[in-house]
Amino acid sequence: HILTSAYWIQPVITFFRLAAISIGGLLLLKFFNLVVERYFTPKPGAKTLYIDEKRARTLSSLLMSIIRYIIYFIIAVMVLQEFRIDTTSIIAGAGIIGVAVGIGAQGLIKDFITGFYIILEDQYGVGDYIVSENMAGTVEELGFRVTRLRDGNGVLHIIPNGSIGRISNYTRGHTQAVVTVPVSYQADIDKVLALLDKVCAEVGKSMPEVLAGPVVVGITDLGASEIIVKLTAKTVPLEQGKVETAIRHKVRTLFAAARIPPFCPGCPDSTAVAEAPN
Amino acid sequence: HILTSAYWIQPVITFFRLAAISIGGLLLLKFFNLVVERYFTPKPGAKTLYIDEKRARTLSSLLMSIIRYIIYFIIAVMVLQEFRIDTTSIIAGAGIIGVAVGIGAQGLIKDFITGFYIILEDQYGVGDYIVSENMAGTVEELGFRVTRLRDGNGVLHIIPNGSIGRISNYTRGHTQAVVTVPVSYQADIDKVLALLDKVCAEVGKSMPEVLAGPVVVGITDLGASEIIVKLTAKTVPLEQGKVETAIRHKVRTLFAAARIPPFCPGCPDSTAVAEAPN
Amino acid sequence: HILTSAYWIQPVITFFRLAAISIGGLLLLKFFNLVVERYFTPKPGAKTLYIDEKRARTLSSLLMSIIRYIIYFIIAVMVLQEFRIDTTSIIAGAGIIGVAVGIGAQGLIKDFITGFYIILEDQYGVGDYIVSENMAGTVEELGFRVTRLRDGNGVLHIIPNGSIGRISNYTRGHTQAVVTVPVSYQADIDKVLALLDKVCAEVGKSMPEVLAGPVVVGITDLGASEIIVKLTAKTVPLEQGKVETAIRHKVRTLFAAARIPPFCPGCPDSTAVAEAPN
Amino acid sequence: HILTSAYWIQPVITFFRLAAISIGGLLLLKFFNLVVERYFTPKPGAKTLYIDEKRARTLSSLLMSIIRYIIYFIIAVMVLQEFRIDTTSIIAGAGIIGVAVGIGAQGLIKDFITGFYIILEDQYGVGDYIVSENMAGTVEELGFRVTRLRDGNGVLHIIPNGSIGRISNYTRGHTQAVVTVPVSYQADIDKVLALLDKVCAEVGKSMPEVLAGPVVVGITDLGASEIIVKLTAKTVPLEQGKVETAIRHKVRTLFAAARIPPFCPGCPDSTAVAEAPN
Amino acid sequence: HILTSAYWIQPVITFFRLAAISIGGLLLLKFFNLVVERYFTPKPGAKTLYIDEKRARTLSSLLMSIIRYIIYFIIAVMVLQEFRIDTTSIIAGAGIIGVAVGIGAQGLIKDFITGFYIILEDQYGVGDYIVSENMAGTVEELGFRVTRLRDGNGVLHIIPNGSIGRISNYTRGHTQAVVTVPVSYQADIDKVLALLDKVCAEVGKSMPEVLAGPVVVGITDLGASEIIVKLTAKTVPLEQGKVETAIRHKVRTLFAAARIPPFCPGCPDSTAVAEAPN
Amino acid sequence: HILTSAYWIQPVITFFRLAAISIGGLLLLKFFNLVVERYFTPKPGAKTLYIDEKRARTLSSLLMSIIRYIIYFIIAVMVLQEFRIDTTSIIAGAGIIGVAVGIGAQGLIKDFITGFYIILEDQYGVGDYIVSENMAGTVEELGFRVTRLRDGNGVLHIIPNGSIGRISNYTRGHTQAVVTVPVSYQADIDKVLALLDKVCAEVGKSMPEVLAGPVVVGITDLGASEIIVKLTAKTVPLEQGKVETAIRHKVRTLFAAARIPPFCPGCPDSTAVAEAPN
Amino acid sequence: HILTSAYWIQPVITFFRLAAISIGGLLLLKFFNLVVERYFTPKPGAKTLYIDEKRARTLSSLLMSIIRYIIYFIIAVMVLQEFRIDTTSIIAGAGIIGVAVGIGAQGLIKDFITGFYIILEDQYGVGDYIVSENMAGTVEELGFRVTRLRDGNGVLHIIPNGSIGRISNYTRGHTQAVVTVPVSYQADIDKVLALLDKVCAEVGKSMPEVLAGPVVVGITDLGASEIIVKLTAKTVPLEQGKVETAIRHKVRTLFAAARIPPFCPGCPDSTAVAEAPN
């Protein structure tokens, strides 16, 4: 048996196959290296960088390590199989670890997929003011895994993209200023509405933040002790607060001047409006 | 052995099989190319386009890339199998990655399936005013994956279709205007109802937004300190606000003229209604 | 070798097997065509149609396309197997896609199963007034996948059947009208109850919507500042609102006539009930 | 070759095996027919029928159809396997559809299992008044899949059994009537408690719905402006409302007669209790 | 061929194997019968029976039926395999049904496992007063699948054990009585605290339900219009209500006697405390 | 055939293999016995016992039973395989039961893993006062599966460890006492703050429970009718209640002595503070 | 047979294979030992240690034990396979246990992955003040599995990293102080605003914690009985409380000095502001 060609050919073939498997693995490693280099490693001079460069480098080298160990594992198993060693138990073990890690890491995968879609669909960009469930703020950094918001109080909110479902973007278009004015039942409603029209005209003229002059919408509620009148205005995004305070200040000043009776039912001296301090 | 036909026929057959696998793979690639081209690539002149053209092109080329890599992978595995190399470990590895990505991407698949059904069933279209859970607005764009709404305050809401379950569409049919009027226990209820009938008649005549004249529904609550009377009207979709403010203004004017006593229990001088400012 | 029958018989057998597979596949396709035609395609003159015909046709042709592509895929794999090509990788790939789509589409399957059961168990029909969680309205269309409701404000609600668990149907039987009357501690409770009995008698006689005459249930709360008395009546489904307003109007009129003291603790002149406007 | 017995024996054996498979399948079908007939088809004269007969028949014939198609499918696959056709792709396809439908139908299975346990454990029966989460009513029909309740307002609630977890059954034993009486800080508490004891004695004697005479539990809250005293009574199931209104009426009458000062802090004339209308 | 021993030995071996399989199956059936009999069937005279005997018998015979059908199925499949019939499709089908039922029944399994642990860990027993989420009551029956509670109003609550996570048991140790007393800002706080100490001493002496005499904790809130003082006492389990009403009654009596000014800010005549009715 | 060595060697080998399997199984059983004995059975004299000894013994013998039955099952299946009996159906059946039980028992596994981590990380120990979601109390027993808490009212809470995610431990470090004092707008704020500083100095000196003397944080709210001033102090863990009542009592006494006007807007005689009862 | 080389070669090969498997297993164990040593065992002198050293050592030796037992198991199975023993049942059993533990431990894996990302992305560090859902505090320890927070009341919160999704970090940048001042309708609004500007100037100058001087935002609400004016300031992180109390104290002092009428509608003597105590 030992001298037949078949006896010697088998090891030679096995040797060549092992060589082929090793070389194939190395080529595959090279290929993934190039892919990671090309798609995931930040270019030094690139300006459309969503996350800062150092963190991106850490992530891409981490990704490369994981790929390398997986390829090593596959080559090792294939070499064992060439020697006719049953690898079912190894593959089953790796499979269970793979499923466990996969289930634990599904949040991660969801983060990346959602992050990819946020960028692809341009749902929001750096500098936009967005609201996502209980958090709101200006986008400071839009990464593949997390979005960082800075809110009006200076707090930094960090949101995993996977938990971003529904988004409200306040900086695509205009914003609306809304002011509600409580009016007493003892006041002449038509006189009040005329005064409010005057407020609208003055604010609309004097403020550049107003896109479409404030208008009196009308009576929006007949309450138990007061009438509610609503005013609205289209404003430059995020400037509605400024417009609203201006309208309220003007309303207060004009009402006091016109001696509109106060609408607070428990106020002690209702006829002496705005005179007390004088 | 070397000179027998069987010895040479095997490699030749293997060669032909490899060629067949490669050609089959390329044909498959071609086929999917055509399918993606036909169903997913927007036609330049098409007018029933749900999402903007550039984004659609990005998506369809992305889809084609994914299909291409999957076909390459299958061909590579089949070639290895032709050389009798055990590919169980490779397939198992790809399977685990596939399951992990599949679980992470199931939200995506759900988005597309729901989006497809929204369009197929015509649940809403661009321009409709819809409410979905905590978000409301006019539909600006209806894509396969997300719906974009613009609400009354100018905010842009972006909703993944998969999170759209129950939808309320306000622009299919009419809308109803509802006004509740609080009435004092000291007022003559029949006189009040007569006045409200007069309000209904006047508003119904003067406003084209009203489809079916406002009617007095009757007393809907005997409260602790006031009686609530309800009025309703059928209006053109989304114009109910205008009709409601008109009704409220008319109610206030007629009540003040008829000296209906005020229904605010803590009001200081209840007999002096609407006279104070004069 | 070439001239032996076994050498030639193998290809011939293979050919016949391929033919059998193809014919079997076509017959299967035909069979499913018939099934879809019979069960899922609407008959033109049928009157128990739950969804409109055009949408049903789109759905059944869509279903047929999916079946066709699946059968083509199975035939293709079986042909490859006849040529002894290892198709594990293809089947594994299709399997992963199948599982991913299946997970994404499970909502869809749940919609159809629940829709089927709603119809089979006659939980509600077109024209019924139902409440499902936060939505209420009259059923306009009852499809296999969605139910469309029109509510009292004219809004169209679209509910996927799969999200319909618990349902409240208001149009199977009667409805109950409920009126709560607040009574002052200064009033004589027996005189009040006698008056309310009179109200019940009059309303029960005069309104055809009442199925079982209104009755005074009794004192249902001894509150901090008022006593609550409850009245109920069985009415024709959905007509309870009309009956309730009628009862409230009658209560108000009789109480004012009988000078029952008002039950509002902060009212300014408690002895002057219902006289002020006269 | 053709003339050897082995050549002919193989087809003959195959033929017999095919026949055995077919006959076995038919017998299996027969067996399931009998099982369904016995356990799931309602007997015409049976009186312990939980759902109405027509619906039960529809369900059992539907079940039989599903079983029949599954057996046909298994026989078809086994016949193919006899002809040495690789059926992996067919079984994999059927498996994926099976898993998808199984996941979609798991709610259904849960409904039936829970329904079975509700009946087995006698959690409630037709006629019982139960509360399940946000729905309450008298059980009208208790099926394997859904429970139908009729509430006090005449509304029909349909609850899938699978969504029934915790159940409160009001008709197994007694019910408790609870009345809370607010008492002013200006009243003599011992005089009040004596009066309430008198109320308890009178109500306990006169009402057959009371199982154990009402008792004064004592002061259950020292509030900011009133003292709360509680009374309870054991009553016949669901008759607690009647007992409570009787107690409240008696309390009001006795208190007015004994001139207990009112406990409403904002009442205008506190000394003139119950005299005003006289 | 027919006359060789090998030709005949094969069927004989097959026969013996079939016999062995059948006998093995029957023995297995016997074994499970014994196990079920021993562990799950209630002994007539046993006194630690958690559920009533009839229901337990139904359950154990149901369990035996399920085991029997599973063993029959396994034997049938093994017999088919002896005849070299490919049973992949049958096993796959049974597997899918098994997974579907298993998913649907996982609630059931969770019920039993949790029930087992409740008993093993003695979390509560029959007669204990427990609170589980929104339900509270005295345990009437503690089964493997459900727990039955009877609450203070006589309602029977049925809770699947699997939905019992966190449990509060009120009958293991003592209970604490808590009374909060509102005190006016116009009262002398030290005089009030001295009075409350007197209350504690008297109640602690006279009531056997008190384990550790009531103590005055001190001022627990400086409110807008009143000061809150808290008293606590350790009592025999579930008797805290009795102790609390006794403390409150004593507080009220002593305060009225000592003329502590009332703490209700809107009370009309604040100087005339507790004198009005006299 | 019968006389050849091969014919007899096979059974002999089979016999030795069966013997080896059985012995291996027994050794495995022994090994697990030792492991369970060593890690899970409580030592009689051990003092770091987290749960009581009897319950621990029950659990470890239960665990041993489960391991024993699993090893018996594996040996039985391997013996069948030695006789070339196809055991796919048995393993599939056992697999389905295993998956079902595994899914049902995953809560159990989570309980043990979390319990293990709580002990390993020393998140809390017996005697600590912790808060977990809606339950709070002192830890009485910390087992691998459940934690038992005793709250201030004497109630025993039993929490499965798996439901313990976020924990708040009150006995690691100090606790903070917080007192908010409402101040009238009519009071001199600087005089009030000076008085409060005096309160802090006195309480800080006299109470050993105070770790860092109380400090006046300042005005924390300008309310509609009162100013809120906050005081805080670092105290020994869980003694904050005692410190807070002491501070409040001191505040009340000093304010009354200094005649700070009361901050209750509806109080009848605002000038007569703290004099009324004298 | 016994004397042929093939008969003896097989055992020799088997022996060498077993040796190779054992040596390979030991090398693997060594390799993992090194990996764990390098990446997971804390270096004694390292200063970037996130968790304390003893706990880290316990964890790394635990990890090593788990790896060791898994490798032993795989070697044992491979040895059995060398002896041609069918190990399907063993692998299936281990697989089920693996899946069950994997599902139970997925929370653990999620904890570690999230913890890793928190550190990698520098979401927060030791000493930062963060808010995560219902818990807030200063980070005391940031481990791979849990984060420990100490809140302002001295309570230690322990949060598994896996439950940390959205994070708000208060110590990256500035914080904003916000003060709302209620103003009476009877006050002169312009005089009030001038006074508030003065407050802002004084506080901005005197406090180093203020990064950008307080500004008066304007009227942010026209309420029923008062006007709300808002002031904001940029402060050093976490010092906003100090700035707010300073602003409020200054507002109160200046308003009292300028005799701004009080804004509490129920205050008894409105003209006598801040004079009463003098």
Side-chain angles (χ1 to χ4, degrees), chain F residues 12-266:
Chain F
V12 171
I13 290 175
T14 297
F15 176 79
F16 278 110
R17 288 168 69 103
L18 288 178
I21 287 169
S22 305
I23 291 164
L26 291 174
L27 288 176
L28 205 64
L29 205 57
K30 209 85 197 173
F31 169 73
F32 275 113
N33 238 333
L34 284 172
V35 169
V36 168
E37 186 74 32
R38 182 163 163 200
Y39 289 113
F40 294 94
T41 317
K43 269 108 220 126
K47 66 181 187 195
T48 58
L49 214 64
Y50 291 106
I51 51 171
D52 79 284
E53 200 180 317
K54 198 179 127 218
R55 204 178 297 154
R57 273 198 197 289
T58 316
L59 274 175
S60 74
S61 77
L62 179 78
L63 183 61
M64 203 52 232
S65 296
I66 294 171
I67 291 172
R68 192 180 307 121
Y69 281 109
I70 290 175
I71 290 176
Y72 288 170
F73 175 78
I74 289 176
I75 291 176
V77 168
M78 286 173 81
V79 166
L80 286 181
Q81 285 170 334
E82 283 301 311
F83 289 108
R84 306 270 168 263
I85 288 170
D86 191 325
T87 55
T88 325
S89 60
I90 297 174
I91 292 174
I96 288 168
I97 291 171
V99 167
V101 171
I103 289 173
Q106 60 177 300
L108 213 68
I109 294 165
K110 212 186 151 196
D111 285 350
F112 281 101
I113 289 176
T114 315
F116 172 77
Y117 264 93
I118 289 168
I119 293 165
L120 180 75
E121 298 177 354
D122 189 25
Q123 294 189 5
Y124 54 84
V126 171
D128 283 6
Y129 185 91
I130 64 168
V131 174
S132 163
E133 278 164 56
N134 61 336
M135 288 181 174
T138 307
V139 179
E140 282 211 337
E141 182 186 309
L142 166 50
F144 274 98
R145 208 189 76 84
V146 296
T147 294
R148 279 155 205 260
L149 305 181
R150 172 83 58 182
D151 76 8
N153 291 331
V155 180
L156 184 70
H157 300 293
I158 301 166
I159 310 178
N161 290 334
S163 84
I164 289 178
R166 305 176 152 220
I167 273 286
S168 301
N169 192 331
Y170 280 70
T171 26
R172 299 276 166 90
H174 67 279
T175 336
Q176 193 176 37
V178 178
V179 174
T180 59
V181 180
V183 177
S184 166
Y185 274 111
Q186 290 153 351
D188 181 348
I189 189 68
D190 289 316
K191 198 171 147 196
V192 165
L193 291 179
L195 272 179
L196 291 177
D197 278 333
K198 204 172 142 199
V199 168
C200 290
E202 290 190 17
V203 171
K205 251 185 295 174
S206 61
M207 298 196 74
E209 288 91 351
V210 175
L211 294 180
V215 291
V216 179
V217 173
I219 302 173
T220 56
D221 191 35
L222 289 173
S225 55
E226 78 236 355
I227 296 165
I228 303 295
V229 180
K230 198 164 93 173
L231 286 79
T232 61
K234 268 196 180 181
T235 73
V236 170
L238 304 182
E239 296 293 342
Q240 75 277 21
K242 211 182 261 182
V243 175
E244 287 172 3
T245 54
I247 293 176
R248 282 196 204 95
H249 188 257
K250 185 68 75 186
V251 166
R252 175 71 189 125
T253 314
L254 286 186
F255 273 34
R259 303 222 164 194
I260 302 292
F263 28 90
C264 77

Side-chain angles (χ1 to χ4, degrees), chain G residues 135-156:
Chain G
M135 288 182 174
T138 308
V139 180
E140 281 212 336
E141 183 186 309
L142 166 50
F144 272 97
R145 208 189 75 84
V146 295
T147 294
R148 279 156 206 260
L149 304 182
R150 173 82 61 183
D151 76 8
N153 291 331
V155 180
L156 184 70

Side-chain angles (χ1 to χ4, degrees), chain D residues 70 74, chain E residues 73-74 77 87-102, chain F residues 89 92-93 96:
Chain D
I70 290 174
I74 289 176
Chain E
F73 176 78
I74 289 176
V77 168
T87 56
T88 326
S89 60
I90 297 174
I91 292 174
I96 288 169
I97 291 171
V99 167
V101 170
Chain F
S89 60
I96 288 168

Side-chain angles (χ1 to χ4, degrees), chain C residues 172-188:
Chain C
R172 298 275 166 90
H174 68 276
T175 337
Q176 190 175 39
V178 178
V179 173
T180 59
V181 180
V183 177
S184 166
Y185 274 110
Q186 290 153 352
D188 181 348

Side-chain angles (χ1 to χ4, degrees), chain E residues 63-118:
Chain E
L63 183 62
M64 202 51 232
S65 295
I66 293 171
I67 291 171
R68 193 180 307 122
Y69 281 109
I70 291 175
I71 290 176
Y72 287 172
F73 176 78
I74 289 176
I75 291 176
V77 168
M78 285 173 83
V79 166
L80 286 181
Q81 285 170 336
E82 283 301 311
F83 289 108
R84 307 268 169 265
I85 287 170
D86 191 325
T87 56
T88 326
S89 60
I90 297 174
I91 292 174
I96 288 169
I97 291 171
V99 167
V101 170
I103 290 173
Q106 60 176 301
L108 214 67
I109 293 166
K110 211 186 152 195
D111 285 350
F112 281 101
I113 289 177
T114 315
F116 172 77
Y117 263 93
I118 289 168

Side-chain angles (χ1 to χ4, degrees), chain D residues 40-191:
Chain D
F40 294 95
T41 317
K43 269 109 222 126
K47 69 183 185 190
T48 58
L49 214 64
Y50 290 106
I51 51 170
D52 81 284
E53 198 181 319
K54 198 179 128 217
R55 206 179 294 156
R57 273 198 196 289
T58 316
L59 275 175
S60 74
S61 77
L62 179 76
L63 182 62
M64 202 52 233
S65 295
I66 293 171
I67 291 171
R68 192 181 307 123
Y69 281 109
I70 290 174
I71 290 176
Y72 287 172
F73 175 78
I74 289 176
I75 291 177
V77 169
M78 286 174 82
V79 165
L80 287 181
Q81 285 170 334
E82 283 300 311
F83 288 109
R84 307 267 168 265
I85 287 170
D86 190 326
T87 56
T88 326
S89 60
I90 297 174
I91 292 173
I96 288 169
I97 291 171
V99 167
V101 170
I103 289 172
Q106 60 176 302
L108 213 67
I109 293 165
K110 210 186 152 197
D111 286 350
F112 281 101
I113 289 176
T114 316
F116 171 76
Y117 264 92
I118 290 168
I119 294 165
L120 180 75
E121 298 177 352
D122 188 24
Q123 294 190 3
Y124 53 84
V126 171
D128 283 6
Y129 185 90
I130 65 169
V131 173
S132 163
E133 279 164 56
N134 61 337
M135 287 180 173
T138 308
V139 180
E140 282 212 337
E141 182 186 309
L142 166 49
F144 273 98
R145 209 188 75 84
V146 296
T147 294
R148 280 156 205 261
L149 304 181
R150 173 83 60 184
D151 76 9
N153 291 331
V155 179
L156 185 70
H157 300 293
I158 301 165
I159 309 179
N161 289 335
S163 84
I164 290 178
R166 306 176 151 221
I167 272 286
S168 301
N169 193 331
Y170 280 71
T171 26
R172 298 274 166 90
H174 67 277
T175 337
Q176 191 175 38
V178 177
V179 172
T180 59
V181 180
V183 177
S184 166
Y185 274 109
Q186 290 153 351
D188 181 348
I189 189 69
D190 288 317
K191 199 171 147 195

Side-chain angles (χ1 to χ4, degrees), chain A residues 178-191:
Chain A
V178 178
V179 173
T180 59
V181 180
V183 177
S184 165
Y185 274 110
Q186 290 153 350
D188 181 347
I189 189 68
D190 289 317
K191 198 172 148 195

